[in-house]
Amino acid sequence: TAADMARLLAENPARLFGMYPQKGVLAVGSDADIVIFDQNYTSRITSAAQYQNVDYTPYEGWALRGRADTVLLSGQVLERQGRYVRRGPAGFWR
């Protein structure tokens, strides 16, 4: 159920890390980010629609069902506020 999913993905981790009830629950005074999911949306993955600097995707043509319709961060609706961050060379093997 939706309640079980919220408990497993939000409440339980917040409790484990000592952040409950500031995080992990939808309640007055708590800090919650919410995604409203449109489960009726359908689409297909195409390389032309991807936000990446390559001209292919291994998932070309795969059917999608559902998408994040609205995202609320601290009660404010987000409007694609992200930005592309170009990464430098990976250094984890040095």
Side-chain angles (χ1 to χ4, degrees), residues 3 10 22 26-27 38 46 59 87 90 94:
Q22 184 64 34
L26 293 178
D38 178 1
T46 66
Y59 307 105
R87 71 173 185 86
R94 294 181 187 165

Side-chain angles (χ1 to χ4, degrees), residues 2 4-5 9 12 18-19 23 27 29-31 39-40 45-49 56-57 59 80-81 83 85 94:
D4 291 333
M5 185 179 216
L9 298 176
N12 289 352
M19 293 186 256
K23 297 280 193 182
S30 293
D31 179 19
Q39 65 184 5
N40 296 316
I45 296 174
T46 66
S47 60
Y56 70 93
T57 174
Y59 307 105
R80 290 206 180 262
Q81 294 175 341
R83 62 183 174 84
V85 177
R94 294 181 187 165

